[in-house]
Amino acid sequence: MLKNALSAREIREKLTTKVLGQEILLYPVTDSTNLQLRQAAEKGAPTGLCIIAKEQTAGRGRLGRSFLSPPKNGIYMSVLLRPEIKLEQAALITPAVAVCVAQAIEAIAECQVTIKWVNDLFVREKKVCGILTETVLRPADQQLAYLVIGIGINLSDEGIPEAIKEIAGGILPTGETPPDRNQLIAEILNRMEDVLLPLQPDHFLPEYRSRSNLIGCPVTVFQNDIPQESGVAIDIDDSARLVLRLDSGEIKHLGSGEVSCRKTEKRD
Ligand code: BTN
């Protein structure tokens, strides 16, 4: 078997978890692992279920965008979590997962990972990973029912269309042997279990801040692709909101939306 071939058995052998990834479903191709996991959750699937696909035909990104998911070259995985946390704390999940994935990538590949608030991981100034956390509420009390945490990683830039090669890349430079995907998935799940159960902000927010490639940057804030305001990113607060000093001098804590760094003038 190819070193890089995905295998649920090989992933399980490398796990040190008690919950996450104890059940793994591996599909050759599916529409979206987030969508599949959501359907499984509605039928009562247990916390920790992990769905992985070798290829997605309708990968979903943040803000209603699509996430290109070609075969061979990526990791497309979703993890179900039924955590006992308040709805307000759900905003901490994506930053916590971003730190886990950054550490896991660095553990298996020679590279340095930075994080662009809130959910994008960068290597050599190109986006290599996106995280999409979907929150589902209980109809009865509007509290958290479960979370679907989706992670998409490019291993190399093979399959990335020319049109976006300036902003998206792979963990490893072109031509280098891709890392063992089973090992990378296990490293991610092992770290996620330690950091998400239980969720303690001081266990991951300091590292999230220190990996930030936005702090200190002049930025523009976009809503629905329309520039709204500009300023400088100065911090990430304890609720994982981006702290901005706007050009007007006002300090703003941004909980959602999209921000681009005007130093690099690249948007993903
Ligand atoms: C983003 O960059 O906006 C987030 C992308 C998240 C992509 C992953 S791939 C696995 C999971 N399934 C999906 O449909 N999306 C997430």
Side-chain angles (χ1 to χ4, degrees), residues 182-239:
N182 301 314
Q183 181 73 35
L184 180 51
I185 292 170
E187 298 273 356
I188 291 170
L189 292 170
N190 290 341
R191 284 172 172 79
M192 279 173 62
E193 178 142 321
D194 288 347
V195 172
L196 299 181
L197 314 174
L199 187 67
Q200 304 273 10
D202 53 331
H203 288 181
F204 60 86
L205 273 182
E207 183 169 338
Y208 185 75
R209 288 185 187 105
S210 69
R211 286 184 183 271
S212 170
N213 55 20
L214 276 188
I215 295 177
C217 275
V219 294
T220 304
V221 180
F222 291 82
Q223 297 289 354
N224 301 325
D225 284 330
I226 299 166
Q228 301 290 322
E229 45 200 354
S230 56
V232 176
I234 55 172
D235 201 0
I236 288 156
D237 72 14
D238 290 346
S239 304

Side-chain angles (χ1 to χ4, degrees), residues 159-190:
I160 297 177
E162 284 302 324
I164 58 166
K165 269 197 175 157
E166 209 202 321
I167 53 171
I171 296 173
L172 290 177
T174 320
E176 280 199 28
T177 314
D180 181 342
R181 286 187 285 183
N182 301 314
Q183 181 73 35
L184 180 51
I185 292 170
E187 298 273 356
I188 291 170
L189 292 170
N190 290 341

